[in-house]
Every structure is written in C-alpha cells, then in structure tokens.
Amino acid sequence: MENHVLVDASFLVALWRKNDQNHPWAVQQARLHPPPWITCESVLSEADHLLAPDGCATLRLACRRGALRIHPLHEDAFIPVLDLLDKYADVPMSIAGACLVRLTEILPDPLLLTSDSDFKIYRRLGRRVIPTRMP
C-alpha cells in the first residue's frame, strides 16, 4: 500500500460536492485510500476558493482533525517548483500542480488523487510518470 497519498483540489472538490460529476469516483478513492491525505498550501487555497462558501468549513475541519495534512515546501525545495513551472509553461502548470509534483519527488511511495488530466503530462524526477488515480 502507498505510504503517502497526496490530494489535488479537484479531488477535494469532487469529494465534498455531491453534484460534481466525479463525486462517486472521489468517494470510492476515499474509501480505498483513507486519510490522512497530504497536500500543499496552494492546493488548500485553490480548494477553499472552489468550495466557497459551502465547503470551506468542511475543508478547515479536515485540516484540524488531521485528515488533511499540509506538507510545507521549504525555501530550498521551492526552486525545483519554479523549474517545473518553467518546464511546463506551455501546458500550463499552476503553482499548486508544481508543488504536488515536487511532493511526489520528495515523499516515498507517493500516490496522487486527482481528476486533472495534466498530471498525465507532468513528470517527476525527470521522466518518471507520476503515480495517480484519476476518474
């Protein structure tokens, strides 16, 4: 089983919005890969914006209860994030996406839950495919 399950804003929105087309998939993934989940501040900000105003309290509660853990990227780890943004500028890549790719590079045995198909294009550690679950 994966040691580190990372989540993108698309997964969080699908999980907490019952009318989202990917809601059944997100619920299934939550059962298969239960919390705690790891994400970054950029993803949390994006999810907070997308879920406003209804789902924000749920998102904050998940953080407070430890179901959603924010993995900080320290200053020395942020230069590779900027490099990823440059590399995938034509896709384009968001800061949240770049931070998640970076987390897959620094955490062992990562698995990313996302419905963002751009993660099929992005690569970790040069040319390695990012382990993902998508609808």
Side-chain angles (χ1 to χ4, degrees), residues 1-7 11 15 25-38 67 109-114 131-134:
M1 183 165 180
E2 301 81 22
N3 290 336
H4 295 96
V5 178
L6 292 93
V7 294
F11 168 79
L15 183 63
W25 166 82
V27 169
Q28 178 188 36
Q29 294 306 309
R31 288 184 185 129
L32 293 172
H33 309 284
W37 298 311
I38 300 169
D109 301 319
L111 175 69
L112 176 62
L113 304 179
T114 183
T132 58
R133 294 290 182 277
M134 295 184 187

Side-chain angles (χ1 to χ4, degrees), residues 101-115:
V101 171
R102 182 66 183 140
L103 286 176
T104 70
E105 294 176 333
I106 61 177
L107 296 173
D109 301 319
L111 175 69
L112 176 62
L113 304 179
T114 183
S115 64

Side-chain angles (χ1 to χ4, degrees), residues 46-113:
E46 187 178 319
D48 185 66
H49 173 74
L50 293 170
L51 289 168
D54 303 329
C56 297
T58 305
L59 190 61
R60 289 190 295 273
L61 183 62
C63 291
R64 286 191 177 105
R65 291 189 173 172
L68 192 55
R69 295 183 180 166
I70 308 305
H71 193 289
L73 286 173
H74 301 289
E75 187 175 346
D76 58 332
F78 202 72
I79 296 300
V81 169
L82 299 175
D83 293 342
L84 285 164
L85 289 168
D86 290 341
K87 180 179 179 179
Y88 293 105
D90 62 329
V91 174
M93 176 183 259
S94 68
I95 291 175
C99 289
L100 286 172
V101 171
R102 182 66 183 140
L103 286 176
T104 70
E105 294 176 333
I106 61 177
L107 296 173
D109 301 319
L111 175 69
L112 176 62
L113 304 179

